[in-house]
Amino acid sequence: MASRVIVVTSGKGGVGKTTTTANVAAALAEMGSKVVAVDGDVGLRNLDVVMGLENRIVYTLVDAIDGHCRLSQAVIRDKRVDNLFMIPTAQSKTKDAVTPQQMIDVCDELRNDYEYVLIDCPAGIEAGFKNAAAGADEALVVTTPEVSAVRDADRIIGLLESMDKSPIRLIVNRIRSDMVKRGDMLGVSDVLDVLAIDLIGIVPDDEAVITSANSGVLLTSQASQASHAFRNIASRIAGVDVPFMNLDSREGIGIFGKIKTIFGF
Amino acid sequence: MSFISNFSNLFGIGRTTRHTKSSDMAKNRLTVAIAHDRTDISPGIMENMRRDIIAVLKKYVEIDEGNIELDLENDSAKGYFALVASVPVMKVRRTHGKP
Ligand SMILES: Nc1ncnc2c1ncn2[C@@H]1O[C@H](COP(=O)(O)OP(=O)(O)OP(=O)(O)O)[C@@H](O)[C@H]1O
Ligand SMILES: [Mg+2]
């Protein structure tokens, strides 16, 4: 069994990397794979609260790297979803607490035990990003349909290409199909035209993302548009061809448009 | 305002013709900004390029080397960057490329 190490990146901050890491990891685990989500945002620990595991932290990734514990001791098993695990990062350290080689070693050790290793990456293009991405084979690039986020995504894609990550695939998050239809938001096809990269998912702007993060439950535990979208992404990562819904059509907002919007993504 | 335009307003038709959609503006601006980001040609590379272009042109024409302009220009209408050169030609060489 060949493990896959996938880094979740964006360039611009706040576009949904942590949300994506948590929920794609959970969806992959629900499909039966053994998955570990690693918080690679050293100094700004977030993945633990989004996944609702903050009260169970004993050791962190940085403790393991510094030799204060074994790597397996920093792993938290999610009691709600079988096969789902998480490694928190340190909150009190800075980005340079970890080197690229140390991240490569961590990822290689995790390959022995997990089918998927998902790494939540910090925003930006500096050391924090380079460390988090160092040990990954593949990348997911998250953007929102906004000018600044798409521009930064292009920069990150260039860097990931120069680091030989492959495949590098795009998630367009927080799409509001009503705005796209009015011509007031970039559509997925616009973003793809500009970035010229493969698409792996479209996630609607959905209040369920915020309410589930509020209470520390995984989106995949409920039925919502966003949870459906993250499950589809997990399927596509696993090689199952799930069709994309067309959220861009500025015509056809009739009854079929409504139905698509309800079941889509 | 005529009945027709009120009617089309109601159904969101006709917006396209009267206003540029903000999503279209976003796409055009992004295309140009990203083209610029990707180009990122350093002044040193520009200088080497200028030198090489001059060398090639001199095989065919006699040029006023001091007054050559070579620039990357942003054509936002077409959505790409163009390499624009203005080269004052003094005389066409009869040898046509033979050194
Ligand atoms: N599809 C969505 N619908 C609604 N809200 C969303 C969606 N995706 C993300 N959000 C919200 O946007 C905010 C930022 O999300 P998140 O923390 O996942 O981004 P990030 O890229 O990890 O940020 P950072 O760069 O700071 O690490 C959160 O409040 C989250 O709940
Ligand atoms: Mg984050």
Side-chain angles (χ1 to χ4, degrees):
Chain A
M1 179 193 70
S3 307
R4 291 164 62 185
V5 182
I6 306 173
V7 64
V8 182
T9 61
S10 70
K12 186 171 156 67
V15 298
K17 294 176 294 295
T18 303
T19 306
T20 300
T21 306
N23 291 294
V24 170
L28 282 167
E30 282 178 352
M31 290 163 59
S33 300
K34 198 173 170 196
V35 184
V36 62
V38 181
D39 194 337
D41 197 347
V42 179
L44 288 172
R45 183 200 282 172
N46 265 172
L47 189 60
D48 57 333
V49 281
V50 172
M51 293 179 76
L53 298 173
E54 69 275 18
N55 293 329
R56 298 195 34 218
I57 296 176
V58 180
Y59 293 112
T60 68
L61 178 68
V62 179
D63 291 325
I65 285 173
D66 289 347
H68 300 314
C69 68
R70 279 175 286 113
L71 185 57
S72 59
Q73 289 177 291
V75 177
I76 300 171
R77 186 177 67 82
D78 192 304
K79 291 174 179 160
R80 301 157 299 184
V81 182
D82 283 344
N83 296 316
L84 180 59
F85 299 83
M86 194 269 292
I87 301 181
T89 192
Q91 178 70 329
S92 56
K93 298 284 166 71
T94 52
K95 293 186 207 312
D96 41 9
V98 181
T99 68
Q101 187 56 49
Q102 287 170 328
M103 276 306 284
I104 293 171
D105 294 343
V106 164
C107 292
D108 285 343
E109 190 173 340
L110 293 172
R111 282 177 207 271
N112 298 325
D113 290 318
Y114 300 90
E115 221 171 311
Y116 291 100
V117 180
L118 262 62
I119 303 169
D120 183 19
C121 188
I125 55 172
E126 293 88 20
F129 155 74
K130 291 194 171 127
N131 291 339
D137 315 309
E138 321 174 16
L140 299 178
V141 176
V142 184
T143 186
T144 56
E146 288 161 282
V147 177
S148 53
V150 175
R151 185 188 191 175
D152 291 356
D154 189 70
R155 185 89 164 86
I156 278 290
I157 292 164
L159 290 171
L160 291 166
E161 280 171 347
S162 72
M163 295 165 88
D164 284 329
K165 307 299 174 197
S166 173
I168 302 167
R169 293 183 289 188
L170 186 73
I171 294 173
V172 185
N173 187 23
R174 308 199 74 162
I175 277 271
R176 287 184 52 184
S177 52
D178 54 335
M179 287 188 74
V180 174
K181 280 164 189 156
R182 285 204 305 269
D184 286 332
M185 181 179 267
L186 286 166
V188 175
S189 60
D190 295 326
V191 176
L192 290 177
D193 282 350
V194 172
L195 293 179
I197 167 184
D198 288 337
L199 179 71
I200 195 164
I202 307 166
V203 184
D205 195 72
D206 187 344
E207 288 180 11
V209 174
I210 295 166
T211 54
S212 68
N214 282 345
S215 40
V217 298
L218 294 162
L219 265 175
T220 44
S221 67
Q222 306 157 339
S224 66
Q225 292 190 348
S227 70
H228 190 97
F230 285 119
R231 279 205 191 86
N232 282 353
I233 293 170
S235 298
R236 292 182 194 117
I237 289 174
V240 183
D241 221 357
V242 187
F244 289 99
M245 299 309 298
N246 180 10
L247 302 172
D248 284 4
S249 71
R250 286 168 189 167
E251 318 84 53
I253 320 171
I255 247 211
F256 289 107
K258 284 262 163 25
I259 290 174
K260 276 188 193 167
T261 317
I262 293 163
F263 294 104
F265 319 106
Chain B
M1 202 182 268
S2 73
F3 169 74
I4 297 285
S5 71
N6 271 328
F7 183 83
S8 55
N9 251 348
L10 198 63
F11 289 90
I13 320 166
R15 273 181 80 98
T16 347
T17 47
R18 280 181 293 113
H19 303 284
T20 310
K21 287 185 240 104
S22 74
S23 60
D24 290 340
M25 289 167 62
K27 188 175 180 184
N28 290 339
R29 292 177 53 227
L30 257 176
T31 307
V32 174
I34 285 180
H36 196 187
D37 294 348
R38 287 181 189 166
T39 318
D40 199 22
I41 298 182
S42 71
I45 291 179
M46 261 327 246
E47 201 37 56
N48 290 349
M49 189 154 65
R50 173 200 295 270
R51 201 191 48 223
D52 289 351
I53 289 173
I54 292 175
V56 171
L57 292 177
K58 272 164 75 179
K59 285 164 54 178
Y60 298 88
V61 288
E62 208 167 286
I63 55 185
D64 179 2
E65 284 186 44
N67 287 306
I68 294 175
E69 285 171 32
L70 182 65
D71 283 305
L72 265 184
E73 281 180 15
N74 167 354
D75 189 335
S76 51
K78 292 187 183 134
Y80 55 69
F81 275 72
L83 189 63
V84 179
S86 166
V87 185
V89 177
M90 322 291 281
K91 207 193 279 175
V92 178
R93 292 201 198 283
R94 287 183 183 281
T95 46
H96 289 300
K98 284 170 218 116

